[in-house]
Amino acid sequence: MTVPAGSEATLFVQNDTRGDVLTCREGLSFWGGVDPDTGTIIDTHHPDHGARLAGRIVLMPTSRGSCSGSGVLLQLARNGKAPAALVFREAEDILTLGAIISARLFDRPIAVLRLPAETYEALSRAAEVEIKGNTLLFAERQIELSQPQTRGLRLSETDRDRLAGRDGPACQIAMEVLCLMAAVQGARDLIDVSRAHIDGCILAHDANLDFAEKMDALGAKTVISTTINAISVDRENWQTQGVPADFGAKASRLADAYVHMGARPTFTCAPYLLDDVPDEDEAIGWSESNAVIYANSVLGARTQKHPDYLDLFIAITGRAPNTGVYLAENRRPVCEIRVALPASFDDALWPMLGWLAGAKSPAGIPVLTGLEHLSPTPDDLKALCAAFGTTSAAPMLHVRGHTPEGGLPLAVDACLEEIKPDDLRQLWREFNAGGDRIDLVAIGSPHASLAETRRFADLLDAQHCHDGTTAIVTVGRRTLADMAAEGILDRLQGAGVKVIPDLCWCSITEPVFPAEASVVMTNSGKYAHYGKGLTGRNMRFGSLEDCARAAVTGRARPGLPAWLSSDS
């Protein structure tokens, strides 16, 4: 029988294919969650850890986590390990954009669909699925799929000229993809943005390098102020750090391609720590999940969580689809999360709250309440936002009493969730599966701020790192210069701490990451989540003070911290 599915059953990228069904029980970040060489789920916190995606019809409500998932999907397509199709139930941008780029620039299409809930649930029970033309076939059912249309978009004269190729092939490709993404997102027009942040500059795989050099060769040039994310090497010193020559050269070429296209060599995953930060209500075009969430939530700027590659297209046009949280009505919270705090706590609280808030509101914007009497620092909010991005697809959150839009009224159909001390205790145990002996202390995911490095130096108190423990702090170039001027750099290096600019824990590899390290201690909820999947090492988590103590003693304290003990 033929079942009319209406306009909600949509085919965003067409490719005739068939395969068996894998239904993921929750959203997945392809970056840090899927091996780009094998297509296996490596996120140890995901319920489908270990599942193989290659060649299968993969269902998930939506993606989550890193903007870099688009690049991972492109790499999977290029090495023959991609899903046969991706099927979503809710709005999704990151993997959809990756599939568009894979088809448009590299002739490796991956089918991408979005289905209404009833059809999605029926498909999840099927054993095998076929996509043929614009038809979805399973269990003797035929679902006709619509395709997004760009004809109704309201475009400026400049937009139309660029679509016609007036500003060259790179800009033409950028406008074509921006218009298609606008149609995917249901936007009616494009919006001017004042600045961009490029995320796809990590050499996690060759796809990022091939894309950047292809766009550079086509003459791509940025037209708005554009910063660049952390890269995969210390750009000026990698030759003396034992980095393999081929890897170092490729990572440098990737960074150089974006700089040649006009990006500033800021090389930081925390562009909100630079001198020139966005103003409240300023429309910007940023990628990198923690940066996007911080910009929206803490600065009150406006940006979608743009996928890697789309960030470059925004930078070379100054335009973005006018949708999502660019629109005031879409910034209202759809979930209230009431936080019941333990009697005492330290700075480890904030990344844990972020991770739990994302888990309890995996697709929508939440507002955290019950924290109004606290005085979180910018670093506390940085940690909160970064960890939130690992478990939620939402581009922002609110904290009542502490973020610019924290007082926005709840949406009419908002849900209510709670975070209790028991939730924090359970997460602590999940984050601390590694042994007590610490081989590596990792600070700077996202890049450490000047205040964070100053406090870490104070906590070390001129003590030297344990002989068997390496401590590494990753920072942006601007922070490094400020550390040197204030004497913090000398203090940390005198204690045996390595301070490395340009790269971060999302991109660090051996031998800069010590090959002999088997247990890693971090104060980052983001790295506690992704670390084992990225490195194969066991993780420990704690406050900045816990990390300083572990650096000096070589050990982490066993069990729960005092503030999370059952009698606190």
Side-chain angles (χ1 to χ4, degrees):
M1 62 178 177
T2 300
V3 180
S7 61
E8 288 186 71
T10 307
L11 181 66
F12 296 122
V13 180
Q14 198 282 327
N15 188 41
D16 287 357
T17 190
R18 67 168 61 205
D20 64 298
V21 173
L22 170 66
T23 301
C24 292
R25 284 167 278 178
E26 60 185 50
L28 175 65
S29 172
F30 269 45
W31 182 90
V34 177
D35 187 318
D37 295 320
T38 67
T40 301
I41 296 178
I42 59 173
D43 181 349
T44 56
H45 301 278
H46 196 276
D48 298 298
H49 173 246
R52 178 184 56 84
L53 305 185
R56 305 176 79 175
I57 308 295
V58 177
L59 281 66
M60 66 180 74
T62 185
S63 66
R64 70 182 189 196
S66 175
C67 301
S68 298
S70 48
V72 174
L73 184 62
L74 175 58
Q75 178 71 3
L76 291 169
R78 284 157 50 85
N79 65 20
K81 298 297 183 180
L86 290 166
V87 183
F88 302 108
R89 189 183 63 207
E90 300 161 12
E92 199 286 329
D93 296 341
I94 293 171
L95 299 177
T96 303
L97 188 278
I100 290 171
I101 296 299
S102 185
R104 175 69 177 79
L105 269 69
F106 295 94
D107 194 27
R108 299 288 181 91
I110 305 161
V112 179
L113 298 76
R114 186 169 70 222
L115 301 177
E118 182 181 355
T119 309
Y120 179 96
E121 294 302 321
L123 183 63
S124 71
R125 295 189 291 271
E128 189 178 54
V129 173
E130 181 179 6
I131 300 167
K132 189 173 182 179
N134 290 343
T135 305
L136 174 67
L137 301 103
F138 67 97
E140 300 183 349
R141 298 178 67 180
Q142 297 184 44
I143 306 293
E144 297 304 317
L145 305 167
S146 64
Q147 291 187 296
Q149 300 296 319
T150 61
R151 290 191 299 269
L153 277 176
R154 295 191 295 266
L155 300 176
S156 70
E157 184 176 348
T158 300
D159 293 335
R160 290 190 292 271
D161 286 344
R162 286 170 169 164
L163 275 173
R166 186 198 70 181
D167 290 345
C171 203
Q172 184 177 29
I173 290 169
M175 283 304 304
E176 288 172 354
V177 174
L178 281 166
C179 288
L180 181 54
M181 282 301 291
V184 166
Q185 296 169 337
R188 297 180 179 178
D189 57 4
L190 305 179
I191 188 174
D192 286 331
V193 295
S194 57
R195 62 183 87 204
H197 182 69
I198 300 292
D199 184 44
C201 49
I202 292 175
L203 189 69
H205 41 71
D206 285 344
N208 279 353
L209 176 61
D210 293 343
F211 170 81
E213 291 193 332
K214 175 172 281 196
M215 293 303 298
D216 189 26
L218 289 171
K221 295 293 180 185
T222 63
V223 297
I224 55 177
S225 176
T226 302
T227 49
I228 186 171
N229 205 52
I231 57 176
S232 296
V233 291
D234 178 345
R235 183 68 183 86
E236 296 177 358
N237 301 297
W238 65 264
Q239 295 91 339
T240 65
Q241 295 168 342
V243 175
D246 181 62
F247 181 84
K250 282 185 174 182
S252 296
R253 280 167 50 196
L254 177 55
D256 292 345
Y258 280 111
V259 172
H260 187 255
M261 287 185 277
R264 295 160 50 198
T266 48
F267 301 146
T268 181
C269 52
Y272 44 81
L273 297 178
L274 299 171
D275 284 342
D276 180 24
V277 298
D279 294 325
E280 190 171 340
D281 292 328
E282 181 179 349
I284 61 176
W286 278 12
S287 285
E288 215 296 333
S289 60
N290 100 85
V292 167
I293 295 166
Y294 191 96
N296 281 315
S297 307
V298 182
L299 301 181
R302 300 193 175 197
T303 178
Q304 281 289 86
K305 191 165 77 172
H306 295 297
D308 286 15
Y309 308 150
L310 194 70
D311 48 12
L312 177 63
F313 297 159
I314 291 169
I316 63 180
T317 62
R319 303 280 276 168
N322 188 17
T323 187
V325 293
Y326 285 119
L327 305 173
E329 61 265 28
N330 293 333
R331 297 173 72 89
R332 291 177 61 180
V334 299
C335 177
E336 180 183 357
I337 301 177
R338 293 177 182 170
V339 179
L341 292 168
S344 63
F345 53 86
D346 57 27
D347 54 269
L349 171 75
W350 296 97
M352 296 173 74
L353 287 180
W355 194 97
L356 289 166
K360 291 177 181 293
S361 186
I365 298 169
V367 57
L368 276 64
T369 61
L371 308 173
E372 290 85 343
H373 62 291
L374 303 183
S375 300
T377 68
D379 283 328
D380 293 334
L381 296 175
K382 174 166 76 85
L384 176 85
C385 291
F388 175 76
T390 67
T391 50
S392 179
M396 66 182 300
L397 76 165
H398 304 293
V399 184
R400 186 73 52 80
H402 299 295
T403 56
E405 297 161 281
L408 284 175
L410 287 161
V412 173
D413 56 350
C415 63
L416 175 64
E417 297 283 349
E418 293 181 307
I419 294 175
K420 298 179 179 179
D422 277 347
D423 297 312
L424 295 166
R425 283 187 271 270
Q426 180 178 341
L427 180 59
W428 182 277
R429 295 185 181 102
E430 185 173 345
F431 274 178
N432 283 278
D436 295 344
R437 183 180 179 277
I438 303 301
D439 304 301
L440 173 64
V441 173
I443 306 297
S445 178
H447 273 166
S449 69
L450 182 66
E452 195 173 3
T453 64
R454 183 188 301 117
R455 183 161 177 260
F456 192 53
D458 290 343
L459 289 166
L460 290 172
D461 194 24
Q463 301 173 89
H464 200 275
C465 292
H466 187 268
D467 286 344
T469 304
T470 301
I472 298 176
V473 178
T474 60
V475 295
R477 291 184 170 192
R478 173 56 197 268
T479 299
L480 182 67
D482 290 342
M483 290 172 65
E486 191 175 319
I488 299 170
L489 184 60
D490 286 342
R491 292 173 63 198
L492 288 176
Q493 290 177 337
V497 177
K498 296 180 181 180
V499 181
I500 303 177
D502 298 349
L503 54 71
C504 78
W505 293 100
C506 297
S507 60
I508 194 169
T509 57
E510 296 179 12
V512 179
F513 185 108
E516 66 278 7
S518 60
V519 180
V520 182
M521 178 88 173
T522 185
N523 68 329
S524 165
K526 179 177 182 177
Y527 198 51
H529 179 94
Y530 288 129
K532 181 161 184 156
L534 288 172
T535 69
R537 273 69 166 196
N538 288 319
M539 303 299 296
R540 292 297 301 256
F541 166 82
S543 67
L544 195 62
E545 183 175 2
D546 293 332
C547 290
R549 185 184 304 111
V552 171
T553 66
R555 305 198 70 85
R557 287 181 175 173
L560 292 169
W563 64 271
L564 272 179
S565 62
S566 58
D567 57 353
S568 63

